[in-house]
Amino acid sequence: MNKDQKNEVIELLKGKFAQYNNFYIADTESLTVEQVSKLRRHCFNKQVEMKVAKNTLIKKALESIDAEKYSGVYESLHNVTALLFSESPKEPALIISSFRKETNGERPILKAAFINGDLFVGDNQLKALTQIKTKNELIGDVIGLLQSPAKRVLSALLNKAEKEGAPAEAAAAE
């Protein structure tokens, strides 16, 4: 790879890091070509972009954007690295988990995840990342909480009206 090609990859990665608030760094070493293709298909179907690049180029791209902001990520850049870019903070974690179950394997291994400015390091964070709520899920929870008291008030009023109306109906029937 010559210098121009390396610069091209760095610029491409910078664009991806700028475009997405969430990215995962996974170790795909020892996966077969068939397994990597399958993982790419899973990512494509869930609107997650998967890129494989050299660790030094990834580091240079991150340093050129904000060296301090991404400093915790650098330690994760070793072995074979796949980057998973997504609008959803948890979709890559779900893909990795389901892929492992499907293949009865331990790969890919989560090295790190950068979610909306927060860094999660290590494969032991994968389960927690699968349980992160998306923005839409949080909005739904808030709406549900706001509707709950109103529903109880309406239910109580309807229940009271039914009880008050029941004796009058019984008397009218006699």
Side-chain angles (χ1 to χ4, degrees):
M1 188 177 257
N2 65 36
K3 190 170 184 163
D4 289 338
Q5 291 171 323
K6 289 178 182 178
N7 287 335
E8 196 175 305
V9 170
I10 290 170
E11 288 303 313
L12 174 89
L13 291 173
K14 282 171 57 176
K16 293 297 173 196
F17 289 125
Q19 179 183 353
Y20 293 99
N21 289 330
N22 311 303
F23 66 89
Y24 283 59
I25 300 171
D27 183 348
T28 56
E29 191 171 17
S30 78
L31 288 181
T32 65
V33 172
E34 183 181 326
Q35 288 174 319
V36 171
S37 295
K38 195 174 192 177
L39 180 61
R40 284 184 186 277
R41 253 182 270 115
H42 280 279
C43 290
F44 180 79
N45 292 337
K46 299 288 186 175
Q47 286 81 42
V48 173
E49 285 193 56
M50 181 176 161
K51 300 283 181 205
V52 177
K54 291 184 175 191
N55 293 317
T56 53
L57 299 180
I58 296 168
K59 185 175 181 182
K60 285 181 181 182
L62 290 171
E63 285 175 338
S64 67
I65 296 171
D66 189 342
E68 193 174 314
K69 179 180 177 181
Y70 298 110
S71 62
V73 174
Y74 305 145
E75 294 173 19
S76 303
L77 298 175
H78 53 81
N79 296 341
V80 178
T81 299
L83 296 167
L84 304 172
F85 296 97
S86 175
E87 293 295 331
S88 166
K90 74 177 184 180
E91 200 61 53
L94 294 172
I95 290 170
I96 291 170
S97 293
S98 68
F99 186 81
R100 285 183 185 178
K101 286 178 188 169
E102 197 175 296
T103 59
N104 295 320
E106 296 176 3
R107 301 278 175 171
I109 293 175
L110 177 67
K111 294 183 196 180
F114 194 83
I115 311 293
N116 296 319
D118 294 322
L119 181 64
F120 299 84
V121 178
D123 197 56
N124 59 339
Q125 299 289 322
L126 186 63
K127 184 172 177 156
L129 291 169
T130 61
Q131 297 170 351
I132 287 178
K133 292 200 177 211
T134 64
K135 181 179 178 181
N136 289 340
E137 290 171 334
L138 289 172
I139 290 170
D141 287 351
V142 169
I143 290 171
L145 290 171
L146 293 173
Q147 287 179 340
S148 182
K151 286 181 181 176
R152 277 189 257 146
V153 169
L154 285 173
S155 176
L157 290 173
L158 290 172
N159 193 19
K160 185 175 181 184
E162 286 175 9
K163 286 182 182 176
E164 288 176 357
E169 290 172 9
E174 290 176 3

